[in-house]
Amino acid sequence: MIAYGSAVPLALEAAEALGESIEVIDLRSLSPLDTDAILATARKTGKVLIAHEATQSCGVGGEVAALISEHCFEDLDAPVRRLTAPDVPIPFSPPLEHRVLPQLDDMKEACRELLAY
């Protein structure tokens, strides 16, 4: 899993809860982007889930997915998957925000689907 921002703790918790050998990379910075670490984990694992709380369109996940697809296509065992907020305005109300942003159960399900691919 490659995660950014609030998705990092979710990714770590999901990896621990699933009990699988899941590698988690915290991007920490988008500029500069740690392309070496991203490409190394994609080549090593063959499956990548990119997670962040921004919307899918125009989010950093698209750029990371393009980078992986361009440089690691032959190393992948599954399509690169993204877990993001849907393409809607992020609500201010906490209950609505909770419904829109990726949650732990969403992260675990995305991991299970990718692991089973």
Side-chain angles (χ1 to χ4, degrees), residues 18-36:
L18 292 172
E20 299 280 340
S21 178
I22 298 174
E23 191 169 307
V24 177
I25 293 186
D26 176 359
L27 289 180
R28 293 187 187 235
S29 160
L30 300 181
S31 184
L33 188 60
D34 192 351
T35 56
D36 292 339

Side-chain angles (χ1 to χ4, degrees), residues 33-93:
L33 188 60
D34 192 351
T35 56
D36 292 339
I38 292 167
L39 298 178
T41 197
R43 288 184 178 114
K44 177 181 171 186
T45 62
K47 296 180 181 180
V48 178
L49 172 64
I50 302 166
H52 58 80
E53 67 179 7
T55 57
Q56 185 165 345
S57 295
C58 302
V60 68
E63 185 64 29
V64 174
L67 176 73
I68 293 167
S69 296
E70 183 177 338
H71 296 282
C72 302
F73 182 78
E74 293 183 4
D75 299 302
L76 296 176
D77 297 325
V80 175
R81 172 116 195 256
R82 291 183 285 168
L83 179 64
T84 67
D87 290 330
V88 299
I90 305 300
F92 181 73
S93 165

